[in-house]
Amino acid sequence: MNRDRHVDGRWTAWLFLAPVTIYLLAFYAYPLYRNIELSLREYTVRSFVQGGAPFAGLDNYQKILSDPTFGPALAHTVVFTVASLAFQFGIGMALAVFFHQHFPLSRTLRALFLVPWLLPLIVSASTWSWMLNSDAGVVNAALGTVGVGPVNWLTSPDWALASVIIANVWIGIPFNLVVLYSGLQSIPVALYEAAALDGATGWQRFWRVTFPLLRPVSAITLLLGLIYTLKVFDIIWIMTRGGPTDSSTTFATWSYRLGFGSLLPSFGPGAAVGNLLIVMALTAGLVYIRLQRRQWA
């Protein structure tokens, strides 16, 4: 009797696990396998549809590593990711601490800061493209009022990467604000009161109380931001298409351009670049897990 109940319980558990297992296999495991398989074969449009692509081994990886675009794309990916994370997290933290003061209209203003997060990315990127237009953009118009000449934000190799970083920072600030503000809500007010009685200034309370207690929340915020930023494509593609002269090309835009950006797509090299992004995100996740284990050890 007990054995029958045990067997029934196991089958019930598997039935509950079946939907999520099917979901993970269909939308994570199979696409990952397919991408790896693409990167190890020499696919053409015909073989992509009909099959029969010859095995190429690591030739596609060798192609992208020896491609002149690899070095600049890697550098742009690192700069884009690090700069976006730094400004998104820094501004998001400052706003979270600011709104934690609970002043009048704080809820209304906090809700308004969520607008960039709620807008479709194509709308946000198109808006920034218009604002940063060299001839009719409002940013250059504002700079002109203080005597600064027009800047070719999207058409100059010196400014294209900075322009897409600015747009991505604006889009990512609300996420950091919401998560960090939620973390601040869990910090007991008594700790701030005790620090104030000890004579701690506002800056000291932040560094000695707020920041240490927010480390777990900060870590997951940075990890999620890193994974999201590594794969940012639409913002860059809509604003600059990775140009001019590859000055804002990242691994995400390069992978798309190789796979779908020409009449003779290079599916294998495009998949190989995409796999490099996966490895970078996976490395960040493993570092996070290791740091968490050290913290709880």
Side-chain angles (χ1 to χ4, degrees):
M1 187 71 176
N2 291 334
R3 184 178 179 181
D4 292 339
R5 290 181 178 178
H6 179 68
V7 172
D8 291 341
R10 290 181 59 183
W11 276 108
T12 303
W14 278 110
L15 288 174
F16 277 109
L17 287 174
V20 70
T21 302
I22 295 172
Y23 173 81
L24 290 174
L25 290 174
F27 294 99
Y28 286 90
Y30 177 74
L32 180 60
Y33 158 77
R34 184 62 172 154
N35 206 59
I36 294 174
E37 195 261 347
L38 276 172
S39 69
L40 297 177
R41 294 185 178 274
E42 196 65 41
Y43 273 96
T44 62
V45 176
R46 183 174 181 176
S47 61
F48 185 81
V49 177
Q50 298 180 353
F55 184 75
L58 299 178
D59 288 351
N60 289 321
Y61 292 92
Q62 185 177 356
K63 285 181 182 178
I64 63 172
L65 290 175
S66 59
D67 194 299
T69 307
F70 177 80
L74 175 61
H76 297 156
T77 302
V78 173
V79 172
F80 179 80
T81 303
V82 173
S84 295
L85 286 180
F87 284 103
Q88 287 174 356
F89 182 80
I91 298 173
M93 175 69 80
L95 290 173
V97 173
F98 175 71
F99 285 118
H100 192 55
Q101 307 302 316
H102 299 294
F103 55 89
L105 296 180
S106 62
R107 292 184 178 179
T108 303
L109 292 176
R110 194 167 70 248
L112 291 176
F113 269 99
L114 296 180
V115 172
W117 197 21
L118 300 176
L119 289 175
L121 289 177
I122 189 172
V123 174
S124 300
S126 300
T127 302
W128 275 101
S129 295
W130 169 73
M131 292 174 60
L132 297 175
N133 183 275
S134 303
D135 300 321
V138 296
V139 174
N140 276 348
L143 292 176
T145 60
V146 294
V148 178
V151 178
N152 296 320
W153 295 100
L154 304 178
T155 57
S156 170
D158 298 328
W159 287 101
L161 185 60
S163 300
V164 294
I165 289 174
I166 291 171
N168 191 58
V169 168
W170 180 78
I171 293 170
I173 287 175
F175 171 76
N176 287 261
L177 167 61
V178 169
V179 177
L180 294 173
Y181 181 83
S182 299
L184 286 174
Q185 297 291 92
S186 64
I187 299 178
V189 179
L191 295 177
Y192 292 107
E193 295 175 348
L197 290 175
D198 290 337
T201 63
W203 188 249
Q204 289 173 331
R205 288 197 297 271
F206 174 78
W207 279 113
R208 302 292 177 84
V209 178
T210 303
F211 194 72
L213 293 178
L214 274 182
R215 281 178 183 171
V217 178
S218 299
I220 193 63
T221 302
L222 290 172
L223 175 63
L224 294 176
L226 174 64
I227 295 173
Y228 168 80
T229 307
L230 280 174
K231 63 184 182 66
V232 167
F233 160 77
D234 26 25
I235 299 170
I236 302 174
W237 191 257
I238 292 170
M239 293 181 65
T240 65
R241 293 187 177 272
T245 62
D246 290 337
S247 59
S248 59
T249 295
T250 62
F251 277 175
T253 58
W254 188 27
S255 176
Y256 176 84
R257 193 171 64 194
L258 286 171
F260 305 99
S262 65
L263 295 176
L264 296 174
S266 302
F267 294 115
V273 175
N275 286 333
L276 292 182
L277 279 176
I278 294 174
V279 170
M280 294 171 70
L282 181 61
T283 302
L286 293 175
V287 170
Y288 169 77
I289 293 174
R290 187 173 183 84
L291 292 176
Q292 288 295 99
R293 286 179 176 177
R294 284 185 179 181
Q295 182 179 351
W296 295 106

